[in-house]
Amino acid sequence: MPTTPQPPRTETLRASLSDADDRIRLNHWMAPQQGIAPRIRIGSHWFNTLWALPIGAATLLCLIALTQSLRELPGVEAFIRKHPAIAQSAPSVDSGFPWWLQLQHFLNMFFMLFIIRAGLQILADHPRLYWGRDCTPGTDWFRFQVPVPKGRIWTAKDDSVTLPTWLGIPGLRHTLGLSRWWHFSVNLLWLINGIAFYALLFSTDQWRRLVPMTWEVFPAALSTAIQYASLNFPVDEGWTRYNGLQQLSYFITVFVAAPVSIVTGLMQSPAISNAFGWFGRLFNRQAMRSVHFIAFAWFVAFILAHGAMVFVTGIRQNTNHMFAGVDNASWTGFPLFVAAMAILTVAWLVVSPFTIRHARLVQRAGAFMIGWIMGLAEGWDPRSQLTKKDISPYFWPNGTMPDSKEFDELVADGFASYRLRISGLVEAPRDFSLADLKAMAKQRQITTHFCIQGWSGVAEWGGVRMRDILDLVKPTPEARYAVFYSLADGADGGRYYDVHKIENMRHELTILAYEMNGTPVSVLHGAPLRLRCENELGFKMVKWVAAIEFVADFADLGAGQGGYNEDHEFYGYRMPI
Ligand SMILES: Nc1nc2c(c(=O)[nH]1)N[C@H]1C(S)=C(S)[C@@H](COP(=O)(O)O)O[C@H]1N2
Ligand SMILES: [Mo]
């Protein structure tokens, strides 16, 4: 007589978890995979963006020739006389370049270095951008990866590409766990610097530099552009007033690109997007991600153009202004500028090797910097649901598939012998068959899945509320966390698992799903049971759930970070953003 297989004992599951390295071992990390030169889709045609380089250079040359010829026309010269580079009615600034402005300018540069490089690394983990809510292959408008291969399982992790360590932070492939700590921690510092900058701008006369106060700024900007393009530069009064082109580009950078980046960054988070209801549904994650990227492109273009102008419009005067706060013919500012560049260069060179070597430290420091924000966002009970027509035609699969005889046997008997074991700090430990769970109240929800890598997808999930399970097993007052053990191993060996705060288990939309879009959850998406916890990123929703254990602490599980990807890929165990 065949014996009924027993669900794994908690001790056995605990023993199946593996320890993890505290650094990235290059020979052990995910195998590299090169992307391709970035492409943009216009209609059904993909264009290689590298064409922008020769086309841009040719356009620039033509522009020089054109504007020089234009300036021979009396009308154009009259226009430039009427509108010299600086709007004549623009107010001037009396306070020069105060020390706080110089300091904030330097800090801004320093922070941007980390933010931009780490942001690029995050993008490389799902190197595609979309406008629609779905990430259906072929609907991307930008990619630096080949089209999604057909006829085989291609997970989001398979899709990620390598960045060189001098470019991304920390470079390599699928290192976004670490990039995110840099991106978010430094963002916080950049935000504080930015708020202080706004406050100081408007409590002094410095705002007058940046905020155009007259329509004349537009003809002035055009006049400036013609003068620069014809290589016959306008008079510079930078100490007291900016020209029209400066005013417009600085204004856009400070008052448009920066706030847009912050808002579109935050709107990519499951907790925040869900908390905003219709706003989050309308401004979907993929649209926000695309706008976030366009703001990034603006910043990069601005930095290149602004940096070049510092050199061509008078390095001595410019560095005197911004690095020494003086307006004279001395060389005071230049050495300070060189020192600032040296600091930036050293930071540029060390950040990736440091992160690779001290990955666990970066993870801990990041959690220290922004863990409290994560904790706050985790408290919001997600309620935002979509409608049937929002369901994604394509839902990326992700993760490491189960690969064991036990699992194959469960699949073969249609999960009839499957038992979900609930144990640990509970008054009534219990094994549930799939039939037991299906006999309980069923909840259906149409929600967005937010993968940490950047893709998202909408599906209708059906299953049992974790609240109801809690009512049955009755966690004791000591139980602070729920550990979800998978039937599958993680990518680096050892069992996949993840830890949630018990509060997450009481949220309205936290369910153990056995249905996806009206049919039993497929093996690919986590059969027989997968967690849905809508205020967190996807990796926290364990697929192929084997058992749930309630614990007071998770330091003694695996490498002690609160989950498989937390241990092995340096993610945070609180990840609602
Ligand atoms: N057991 C297990 N569960 C897992 C993973 C995994 O690798 N193993 N990957 C996670 C990640 S990163 C995501 S985004 C989702 C993907 O779910 P899907 O395949 O249904 O899209 O499952 C999560 N659950
Ligand atoms: Mo994910």
Side-chain angles (χ1 to χ4, degrees):
M1 219 188 96
T3 52
T4 336
Q6 287 296 304
R9 288 153 33 99
T10 318
E11 299 71 46
T12 318
L13 285 166
R14 283 184 161 228
S16 71
L17 304 184
S18 61
D19 201 358
D21 287 328
D22 287 341
R23 55 180 291 182
I24 292 184
R25 289 187 197 284
L26 298 183
N27 55 3
H28 204 69
W29 195 252
M30 199 175 182
Q33 168 170 261
Q34 294 312 315
I36 59 170
R39 262 142 240 250
I40 287 184
R41 182 171 60 85
I42 297 168
S44 58
H45 240 86
W46 285 95
F47 294 92
N48 187 332
T49 55
L50 292 185
W51 281 108
L53 296 174
I55 294 174
T59 311
L60 211 61
L61 291 177
C62 294
L63 219 63
I64 292 171
L66 179 75
T67 48
Q68 288 187 343
S69 313
L70 276 177
R71 291 193 66 168
E72 285 167 16
L73 302 176
V76 174
E77 269 318 286
F79 170 76
I80 289 174
R81 260 196 312 280
K82 181 157 179 238
H83 298 284
I86 299 157
Q88 289 308 287
S89 57
S92 66
V93 169
D94 303 322
S95 50
F97 288 84
W99 66 269
W100 57 264
L101 195 77
Q102 300 165 42
L103 176 67
Q104 294 198 313
H105 179 257
F106 171 74
L107 288 176
N108 191 63
M109 259 194 302
F110 187 73
F111 294 153
M112 279 304 235
L113 179 160
F114 295 90
I115 295 171
I116 288 181
R117 291 181 55 198
L120 209 52
Q121 186 80 51
I122 296 171
L123 180 63
D125 235 78
H126 189 70
R128 306 174 189 278
L129 294 170
Y130 317 81
W131 288 111
R133 206 191 298 285
D134 313 309
C135 299
T136 309
T139 65
D140 34 2
W141 65 269
F142 173 89
R143 57 176 164 87
F144 46 102
Q145 172 60 297
V146 295
V148 175
K150 291 199 178 81
R152 54 162 296 187
I153 293 178
W154 185 255
T155 67
K157 274 182 192 155
D158 293 331
D159 206 47
S160 66
V161 297
T162 302
L163 285 189
T165 51
W166 61 262
L167 180 60
I169 296 179
L172 313 177
R173 180 176 175 209
H174 191 51
T175 49
L176 88 165
L178 293 163
S179 322
R180 283 169 52 98
W181 295 122
W182 281 110
H183 195 68
F184 293 170
S185 307
V186 180
N187 273 336
L188 180 64
L189 301 176
W190 182 72
L191 181 68
I192 294 170
N193 190 45
I195 291 171
F197 178 60
Y198 276 27
L200 285 162
L201 273 188
F202 290 104
S203 58
T204 64
D205 61 354
Q206 288 292 335
W207 62 273
R208 294 191 206 156
R209 283 186 191 285
L210 304 184
V211 184
M213 294 295 285
T214 154
W215 292 111
E216 221 193 315
V217 69
F218 292 103
L222 178 63
S223 163
T224 315
I226 295 172
Q227 295 180 70
Y228 279 135
S230 61
L231 301 182
N232 185 350
F233 289 3
V235 187
D236 195 328
E237 291 176 28
W239 182 253
T240 50
R241 293 197 293 180
Y242 285 153
N243 66 47
L245 207 54
Q246 279 178 303
Q247 246 191 353
L248 286 183
S249 58
Y250 295 3
F251 182 84
I252 292 172
T253 305
V254 173
F255 295 108
V256 181
V260 163
S261 300
I262 294 165
V263 172
T264 53
L266 291 172
M267 291 301 289
Q268 294 175 53
S269 128
I272 295 172
S273 182
N274 275 320
F276 279 115
W278 67 267
F279 188 81
R281 291 191 293 270
L282 182 65
F283 296 100
N284 72 72
R285 187 195 215 193
Q286 296 312 318
M288 296 298 94
R289 213 169 144 252
S290 288
V291 176
H292 198 69
F293 176 79
I294 290 167
F296 149 84
W298 169 272
F299 276 117
V300 172
F302 177 82
I303 291 167
L304 293 177
H306 178 67
M309 292 308 264
V310 168
F311 284 84
V312 300
T313 62
I315 188 89
R316 184 160 59 168
Q317 173 193 288
N318 290 331
T319 54
N320 273 347
H321 287 182
M322 202 43 112
F323 292 85
V326 297
D327 186 36
N328 55 32
S330 69
W331 282 95
T332 330
F334 187 72
L336 295 165
F337 165 74
V338 172
M341 289 302 129
I343 294 174
L344 255 56
T345 308
V346 171
W348 191 297
L349 294 176
V350 301
V351 60
S352 287
F354 177 88
T355 305
I356 289 168
R357 198 181 160 81
H358 302 286
R360 194 68 74 200
L361 179 68
V362 169
Q363 179 189 28
R364 291 222 178 89
F368 174 79
M369 291 277 295
I370 56 161
W372 60 277
I373 303 176
M374 296 291 188
L376 271 178
E378 218 170 38
W380 306 333
D381 190 349
R383 289 157 201 274
S384 187
Q385 298 193 50
L386 295 104
T387 60
K388 277 220 163 29
K389 69 174 187 354
D390 300 317
I391 291 174
S392 302
Y394 182 91
F395 199 96
W396 279 78
N398 214 1
T400 310
M401 304 301 146
D403 179 22
S404 68
K405 199 168 127 276
E406 290 73 18
F407 189 81
D408 292 345
E409 284 169 6
L410 285 175
V411 175
D413 82 346
F415 297 103
S417 59
Y418 169 81
R419 297 292 179 275
L420 168 71
R421 169 150 295 181
I422 304 194
S423 64
L425 301 174
V426 288
E427 284 173 23
R430 232 188 108 164
D431 292 346
F432 291 84
S433 70
L434 218 42
D436 294 336
L437 295 171
K438 287 183 178 167
M440 292 172 64
K442 177 174 176 183
Q443 174 163 305
R444 285 197 184 85
Q445 60 199 46
I446 303 177
T447 53
T448 310
H449 179 94
F450 295 73
C451 172
I452 192 168
Q453 293 182 265
W455 63 271
S456 46
V458 179
E460 180 181 42
W461 303 97
V464 211
R465 277 186 290 266
M466 275 306 297
R467 289 176 176 180
D468 296 349
I469 293 187
L470 258 53
D471 288 344
L472 291 177
V473 300
K474 299 190 177 63
T476 65
E478 294 78 52
R480 292 180 55 212
Y481 304 99
V483 187
F484 288 78
Y485 296 95
S486 179
L487 291 159
D489 282 349
D492 198 27
R495 198 58 70 92
Y496 195 93
Y497 77 106
D498 201 79
V499 182
H500 284 264
K501 276 191 162 169
I502 201 158
E503 288 79 2
N504 263 3
M505 301 296 106
R506 299 209 168 94
H507 281 160
E508 197 168 304
L509 297 180
T510 301
I511 64 173
L512 274 178
Y514 49 76
E515 263 181 31
M516 180 183 185
N517 298 334
T519 54
V521 172
S522 63
V523 167
L524 188 62
H525 290 293
L529 280 182
R530 61 107 37 98
L531 177 63
R532 293 300 312 166
C533 180
E534 310 293 353
N535 64 329
E536 300 281 2
L537 290 173
F539 74 91
K540 299 212 55 92
M541 298 183 222
V542 175
K543 304 200 284 187
W544 315 290
V545 175
I548 305 170
E549 184 190 358
F550 288 86
V551 297
D553 188 14
F554 53 78
D556 53 343
L557 298 176
Q561 303 300 317
Y564 192 86
N565 288 341
E566 291 87 330
D567 290 347
H568 293 262
E569 296 178 354
F570 311 101
Y571 296 180
Y573 91 91
R574 295 184 294 198
M575 282 278 132
I577 297 181

